Amino acid sequence: MKITITGASGFVGKNLSAYLKQNHLNIQELSLRTNDWKSSFNKNTDVIIHLAGKAHDTENTSQEQEYFTINRDLTIALFNEFLNSECTDFFYFSSVKAVADTTDGIVDENIIANPLTAYGKSKHQAEEYLLKQQLPLGKRLFIIRPCMIHGSGNKGNLNLLYKIVEKGIPWPLSKFENKRSFIGIDNLSYLILQMIQNETVVSGIYNFADDEALSTNQLIETINLTLGKKAKFLPINKKFVENIAKIGDKIHLPLNSERLKKLTESYVVSNQKIKKALAIQQLPITTQEGLINTIKSFKN
């Protein structure tokens, strides 16, 4: 089976490609960075996994139109190539942020979309276009909405937390109480492979998340456990921290409002739909096991 992956050089792409190769699938990389990418597209491929996109810029330095050009327009162009090819499956990696930037409840696939950022809006507009198209018989469309992805090579906020704990700095945000969903790259790769191999999974939107949500304080404890350290918490007043973050917005401190939100907000995502579709009770790796594997990769 031939699998074409866009964004194969990124964190998710590298890990997913390696996993699928280990399971004897033929991986072909497709770069969308140049305008002549259509000439490199193999219309005889079996599956397209569209990972390429513009990630959310926490520094807010990107032009809004960039998100729509890359996340929406390129996706539409690639999907149209899919419709005119022999390919049977199209995986579009969207994001839970395509429907909700913040939430007080549990995010499932039926939530009414209300993206607030250019990143979320561009992802959602791409979803809307794809879902409106008539699929030819024998083709499937999967819109994947992962929550925060982690694994070997990840350089996001989890890596930032690791560096704080590694240096022995007490965690200064312990007064913030939250619950957050994660998806380990191994579980993500497992789900993609199962969907490819299972012909009974129908087209649609599927959230990707591990089975358990953790608080940031639990995450700090897990990092310390992996490093063989005792967790240190510094109970600083929440209002004081929020004021520091506002200052960080103006003078580019390591802590700004966007990063504070990512580290302390609650964001719980349901994975029940994909597990029901695949008839599985639980994912192969627990939330904590996946996080420990990621943390160990930082050590190496």
PDB file of all heavy atoms in Angstrom, residues 43-66:
ATOM      1  N   LYS A  43      -0.716  10.091  -8.576  1.00  0.00           N
ATOM      2  CA  LYS A  43      -2.160   9.840  -8.589  1.00  0.00           C
ATOM      3  C   LYS A  43      -2.508   8.378  -8.349  1.00  0.00           C
ATOM      4  O   LYS A  43      -3.682   8.025  -8.191  1.00  0.00           O
ATOM      5  CB  LYS A  43      -2.758  10.312  -9.908  1.00  0.00           C
ATOM      6  CG  LYS A  43      -2.719  11.829 -10.073  1.00  0.00           C
ATOM      7  CD  LYS A  43      -3.656  12.304 -11.156  1.00  0.00           C
ATOM      8  CE  LYS A  43      -3.713  13.827 -11.185  1.00  0.00           C
ATOM      9  NZ  LYS A  43      -4.744  14.333 -12.119  1.00  0.00           N
ATOM     10  N   ASN A  44      -1.497   7.515  -8.298  1.00  0.00           N
ATOM     11  CA  ASN A  44      -1.726   6.094  -8.037  1.00  0.00           C
ATOM     12  C   ASN A  44      -1.528   5.723  -6.566  1.00  0.00           C
ATOM     13  O   ASN A  44      -1.562   4.550  -6.218  1.00  0.00           O
ATOM     14  CB  ASN A  44      -0.796   5.246  -8.905  1.00  0.00           C
ATOM     15  CG  ASN A  44      -1.120   5.377 -10.380  1.00  0.00           C
ATOM     16  OD1 ASN A  44      -2.285   5.406 -10.772  1.00  0.00           O
ATOM     17  ND2 ASN A  44      -0.089   5.485 -11.211  1.00  0.00           N
ATOM     18  N   THR A  45      -1.315   6.736  -5.729  1.00  0.00           N
ATOM     19  CA  THR A  45      -1.156   6.457  -4.313  1.00  0.00           C
ATOM     20  C   THR A  45      -2.479   5.970  -3.738  1.00  0.00           C
ATOM     21  O   THR A  45      -3.553   6.235  -4.290  1.00  0.00           O
ATOM     22  CB  THR A  45      -0.677   7.729  -3.572  1.00  0.00           C
ATOM     23  OG1 THR A  45      -0.246   7.389  -2.254  1.00  0.00           O
ATOM     24  CG2 THR A  45      -1.782   8.771  -3.471  1.00  0.00           C
ATOM     25  N   ASP A  46      -2.424   5.246  -2.628  1.00  0.00           N
ATOM     26  CA  ASP A  46      -3.638   4.701  -2.020  1.00  0.00           C
ATOM     27  C   ASP A  46      -4.236   5.623  -0.967  1.00  0.00           C
ATOM     28  O   ASP A  46      -5.458   5.714  -0.828  1.00  0.00           O
ATOM     29  CB  ASP A  46      -3.336   3.341  -1.374  1.00  0.00           C
ATOM     30  CG  ASP A  46      -2.876   2.314  -2.391  1.00  0.00           C
ATOM     31  OD1 ASP A  46      -3.673   1.988  -3.289  1.00  0.00           O
ATOM     32  OD2 ASP A  46      -1.718   1.867  -2.307  1.00  0.00           O
ATOM     33  N   VAL A  47      -3.370   6.276  -0.215  1.00  0.00           N
ATOM     34  CA  VAL A  47      -3.809   7.113   0.911  1.00  0.00           C
ATOM     35  C   VAL A  47      -3.015   8.413   0.913  1.00  0.00           C
ATOM     36  O   VAL A  47      -1.794   8.403   0.704  1.00  0.00           O
ATOM     37  CB  VAL A  47      -3.592   6.385   2.264  1.00  0.00           C
ATOM     38  CG1 VAL A  47      -3.975   7.286   3.437  1.00  0.00           C
ATOM     39  CG2 VAL A  47      -4.371   5.083   2.312  1.00  0.00           C
ATOM     40  N   ILE A  48      -3.705   9.532   1.156  1.00  0.00           N
ATOM     41  CA  ILE A  48      -3.040  10.815   1.362  1.00  0.00           C
ATOM     42  C   ILE A  48      -3.233  11.214   2.820  1.00  0.00           C
ATOM     43  O   ILE A  48      -4.366  11.236   3.323  1.00  0.00           O
ATOM     44  CB  ILE A  48      -3.621  11.924   0.462  1.00  0.00           C
ATOM     45  CG1 ILE A  48      -3.404  11.596  -1.012  1.00  0.00           C
ATOM     46  CG2 ILE A  48      -2.992  13.283   0.801  1.00  0.00           C
ATOM     47  CD1 ILE A  48      -4.111  12.562  -1.951  1.00  0.00           C
ATOM     48  N   ILE A  49      -2.131  11.527   3.488  1.00  0.00           N
ATOM     49  CA  ILE A  49      -2.196  12.048   4.858  1.00  0.00           C
ATOM     50  C   ILE A  49      -1.649  13.473   4.810  1.00  0.00           C
ATOM     51  O   ILE A  49      -0.445  13.685   4.625  1.00  0.00           O
ATOM     52  CB  ILE A  49      -1.386  11.176   5.839  1.00  0.00           C
ATOM     53  CG1 ILE A  49      -1.926   9.743   5.835  1.00  0.00           C
ATOM     54  CG2 ILE A  49      -1.449  11.770   7.252  1.00  0.00           C
ATOM     55  CD1 ILE A  49      -1.132   8.776   6.701  1.00  0.00           C
ATOM     56  N   HIS A  50      -2.549  14.430   4.935  1.00  0.00           N
ATOM     57  CA  HIS A  50      -2.183  15.846   4.770  1.00  0.00           C
ATOM     58  C   HIS A  50      -1.874  16.475   6.127  1.00  0.00           C
ATOM     59  O   HIS A  50      -2.773  16.897   6.859  1.00  0.00           O
ATOM     60  CB  HIS A  50      -3.319  16.582   4.071  1.00  0.00           C
ATOM     61  CG  HIS A  50      -3.044  18.030   3.827  1.00  0.00           C
ATOM     62  ND1 HIS A  50      -1.795  18.515   3.490  1.00  0.00           N
ATOM     63  CD2 HIS A  50      -3.862  19.119   3.872  1.00  0.00           C
ATOM     64  CE1 HIS A  50      -1.864  19.829   3.342  1.00  0.00           C
ATOM     65  NE2 HIS A  50      -3.100  20.212   3.573  1.00  0.00           N
ATOM     66  N   LEU A  51      -0.579  16.508   6.442  1.00  0.00           N
ATOM     67  CA  LEU A  51      -0.104  17.087   7.701  1.00  0.00           C
ATOM     68  C   LEU A  51       0.380  18.525   7.542  1.00  0.00           C
ATOM     69  O   LEU A  51       0.371  19.295   8.505  1.00  0.00           O
ATOM     70  CB  LEU A  51       1.059  16.254   8.262  1.00  0.00           C
ATOM     71  CG  LEU A  51       0.773  14.817   8.668  1.00  0.00           C
ATOM     72  CD1 LEU A  51       2.072  14.088   8.950  1.00  0.00           C
ATOM     73  CD2 LEU A  51      -0.130  14.786   9.895  1.00  0.00           C
ATOM     74  N   ALA A  52       0.829  18.881   6.350  1.00  0.00           N
ATOM     75  CA  ALA A  52       1.441  20.190   6.132  1.00  0.00           C
ATOM     76  C   ALA A  52       0.469  21.312   6.474  1.00  0.00           C
ATOM     77  O   ALA A  52      -0.715  21.250   6.141  1.00  0.00           O
ATOM     78  CB  ALA A  52       1.904  20.319   4.678  1.00  0.00           C
ATOM     79  N   GLY A  53       0.965  22.316   7.141  1.00  0.00           N
ATOM     80  CA  GLY A  53       0.117  23.450   7.497  1.00  0.00           C
ATOM     81  C   GLY A  53       0.902  24.472   8.282  1.00  0.00           C
ATOM     82  O   GLY A  53       2.058  24.246   8.654  1.00  0.00           O
ATOM     83  N   LYS A  54       0.282  25.585   8.527  1.00  0.00           N
ATOM     84  CA  LYS A  54       0.904  26.639   9.332  1.00  0.00           C
ATOM     85  C   LYS A  54       0.396  26.514  10.752  1.00  0.00           C
ATOM     86  O   LYS A  54      -0.800  26.637  11.022  1.00  0.00           O
ATOM     87  CB  LYS A  54       0.589  28.023   8.779  1.00  0.00           C
ATOM     88  CG  LYS A  54       1.264  29.135   9.578  1.00  0.00           C
ATOM     89  CD  LYS A  54       1.181  30.476   8.898  1.00  0.00           C
ATOM     90  CE  LYS A  54       1.822  31.553   9.783  1.00  0.00           C
ATOM     91  NZ  LYS A  54       3.226  31.231  10.135  1.00  0.00           N
ATOM     92  N   ALA A  55       1.316  26.260  11.688  1.00  0.00           N
ATOM     93  CA  ALA A  55       0.951  26.069  13.083  1.00  0.00           C
ATOM     94  C   ALA A  55       0.606  27.396  13.742  1.00  0.00           C
ATOM     95  O   ALA A  55       0.960  28.473  13.248  1.00  0.00           O
ATOM     96  CB  ALA A  55       2.097  25.393  13.834  1.00  0.00           C
ATOM     97  N   HIS A  56      -0.085  27.293  14.873  1.00  0.00           N
ATOM     98  CA  HIS A  56      -0.464  28.491  15.618  1.00  0.00           C
ATOM     99  C   HIS A  56       0.784  29.200  16.143  1.00  0.00           C
ATOM    100  O   HIS A  56       1.618  28.595  16.807  1.00  0.00           O
ATOM    101  CB  HIS A  56      -1.373  28.098  16.791  1.00  0.00           C
ATOM    102  CG  HIS A  56      -1.987  29.276  17.478  1.00  0.00           C
ATOM    103  ND1 HIS A  56      -2.579  29.195  18.716  1.00  0.00           N
ATOM    104  CD2 HIS A  56      -2.088  30.579  17.098  1.00  0.00           C
ATOM    105  CE1 HIS A  56      -3.030  30.367  19.070  1.00  0.00           C
ATOM    106  NE2 HIS A  56      -2.742  31.232  18.114  1.00  0.00           N
ATOM    107  N   ASP A  57       0.925  30.465  15.840  1.00  0.00           N
ATOM    108  CA  ASP A  57       2.074  31.269  16.232  1.00  0.00           C
ATOM    109  C   ASP A  57       1.802  31.922  17.583  1.00  0.00           C
ATOM    110  O   ASP A  57       1.038  32.876  17.687  1.00  0.00           O
ATOM    111  CB  ASP A  57       2.340  32.344  15.169  1.00  0.00           C
ATOM    112  CG  ASP A  57       3.468  33.297  15.541  1.00  0.00           C
ATOM    113  OD1 ASP A  57       4.228  32.969  16.476  1.00  0.00           O
ATOM    114  OD2 ASP A  57       3.574  34.358  14.912  1.00  0.00           O
ATOM    115  N   THR A  58       2.435  31.409  18.646  1.00  0.00           N
ATOM    116  CA  THR A  58       2.188  31.944  19.986  1.00  0.00           C
ATOM    117  C   THR A  58       2.764  33.346  20.173  1.00  0.00           C
ATOM    118  O   THR A  58       2.406  34.049  21.112  1.00  0.00           O
ATOM    119  CB  THR A  58       2.798  31.012  21.065  1.00  0.00           C
ATOM    120  OG1 THR A  58       4.205  30.876  20.830  1.00  0.00           O
ATOM    121  CG2 THR A  58       2.138  29.648  21.025  1.00  0.00           C
ATOM    122  N   GLU A  59       3.672  33.755  19.288  1.00  0.00           N
ATOM    123  CA  GLU A  59       4.255  35.098  19.389  1.00  0.00           C
ATOM    124  C   GLU A  59       3.414  36.128  18.639  1.00  0.00           C
ATOM    125  O   GLU A  59       3.684  37.330  18.713  1.00  0.00           O
ATOM    126  CB  GLU A  59       5.682  35.094  18.815  1.00  0.00           C
ATOM    127  CG  GLU A  59       6.629  34.112  19.481  1.00  0.00           C
ATOM    128  CD  GLU A  59       6.874  34.429  20.947  1.00  0.00           C
ATOM    129  OE1 GLU A  59       6.794  35.621  21.296  1.00  0.00           O
ATOM    130  OE2 GLU A  59       7.118  33.492  21.721  1.00  0.00           O
ATOM    131  N   ASN A  60       2.404  35.645  17.886  1.00  0.00           N
ATOM    132  CA  ASN A  60       1.509  36.535  17.136  1.00  0.00           C
ATOM    133  C   ASN A  60       2.246  37.459  16.170  1.00  0.00           C
ATOM    134  O   ASN A  60       1.944  38.647  16.053  1.00  0.00           O
ATOM    135  CB  ASN A  60       0.656  37.374  18.106  1.00  0.00           C
ATOM    136  CG  ASN A  60      -0.305  36.523  18.916  1.00  0.00           C
ATOM    137  OD1 ASN A  60      -0.924  35.610  18.379  1.00  0.00           O
ATOM    138  ND2 ASN A  60      -0.412  36.800  20.202  1.00  0.00           N
ATOM    139  N   THR A  61       3.231  36.896  15.459  1.00  0.00           N
ATOM    140  CA  THR A  61       3.994  37.702  14.492  1.00  0.00           C
ATOM    141  C   THR A  61       3.587  37.400  13.052  1.00  0.00           C
ATOM    142  O   THR A  61       4.039  38.078  12.135  1.00  0.00           O
ATOM    143  CB  THR A  61       5.507  37.433  14.653  1.00  0.00           C
ATOM    144  OG1 THR A  61       5.760  36.035  14.457  1.00  0.00           O
ATOM    145  CG2 THR A  61       5.988  37.846  16.042  1.00  0.00           C
ATOM    146  N   SER A  62       2.748  36.403  12.845  1.00  0.00           N
ATOM    147  CA  SER A  62       2.373  36.000  11.489  1.00  0.00           C
ATOM    148  C   SER A  62       1.240  36.864  10.941  1.00  0.00           C
ATOM    149  O   SER A  62       0.387  37.354  11.688  1.00  0.00           O
ATOM    150  CB  SER A  62       1.934  34.542  11.469  1.00  0.00           C
ATOM    151  OG  SER A  62       2.979  33.699  11.876  1.00  0.00           O
ATOM    152  N   GLN A  63       1.229  37.046   9.630  1.00  0.00           N
ATOM    153  CA  GLN A  63       0.130  37.714   8.964  1.00  0.00           C
ATOM    154  C   GLN A  63      -1.056  36.747   8.880  1.00  0.00           C
ATOM    155  O   GLN A  63      -0.885  35.574   8.551  1.00  0.00           O
ATOM    156  CB  GLN A  63       0.550  38.151   7.558  1.00  0.00           C
ATOM    157  CG  GLN A  63       1.673  39.178   7.544  1.00  0.00           C
ATOM    158  CD  GLN A  63       1.257  40.504   8.164  1.00  0.00           C
ATOM    159  OE1 GLN A  63       0.155  40.985   7.929  1.00  0.00           O
ATOM    160  NE2 GLN A  63       2.138  41.087   8.960  1.00  0.00           N
ATOM    161  N   GLU A  64      -2.256  37.249   9.148  1.00  0.00           N
ATOM    162  CA  GLU A  64      -3.433  36.380   9.172  1.00  0.00           C
ATOM    163  C   GLU A  64      -3.643  35.650   7.853  1.00  0.00           C
ATOM    164  O   GLU A  64      -4.017  34.482   7.832  1.00  0.00           O
ATOM    165  CB  GLU A  64      -4.681  37.196   9.519  1.00  0.00           C
ATOM    166  CG  GLU A  64      -4.779  37.540  10.990  1.00  0.00           C
ATOM    167  CD  GLU A  64      -6.193  37.925  11.405  1.00  0.00           C
ATOM    168  OE1 GLU A  64      -7.095  37.889  10.546  1.00  0.00           O
ATOM    169  OE2 GLU A  64      -6.383  38.231  12.587  1.00  0.00           O
ATOM    170  N   GLN A  65      -3.402  36.316   6.731  1.00  0.00           N
ATOM    171  CA  GLN A  65      -3.669  35.707   5.430  1.00  0.00           C
ATOM    172  C   GLN A  65      -2.831  34.459   5.192  1.00  0.00           C
ATOM    173  O   GLN A  65      -3.245  33.549   4.471  1.00  0.00           O
ATOM    174  CB  GLN A  65      -3.428  36.722   4.310  1.00  0.00           C
ATOM    175  CG  GLN A  65      -3.822  36.221   2.915  1.00  0.00           C
ATOM    176  CD  GLN A  65      -5.267  35.737   2.851  1.00  0.00           C
ATOM    177  OE1 GLN A  65      -6.168  36.366   3.406  1.00  0.00           O
ATOM    178  NE2 GLN A  65      -5.494  34.610   2.170  1.00  0.00           N
ATOM    179  N   GLU A  66      -1.646  34.394   5.827  1.00  0.00           N
ATOM    180  CA  GLU A  66      -0.784  33.213   5.675  1.00  0.00           C
ATOM    181  C   GLU A  66      -1.513  31.942   6.104  1.00  0.00           C
ATOM    182  O   GLU A  66      -1.382  30.889   5.476  1.00  0.00           O
ATOM    183  CB  GLU A  66       0.490  33.365   6.510  1.00  0.00           C
ATOM    184  CG  GLU A  66       1.498  34.355   5.981  1.00  0.00           C
ATOM    185  CD  GLU A  66       2.746  34.360   6.846  1.00  0.00           C
ATOM    186  OE1 GLU A  66       3.402  33.298   6.955  1.00  0.00           O
ATOM    187  OE2 GLU A  66       3.053  35.402   7.444  1.00  0.00           O
TER     188      GLU A  66
END
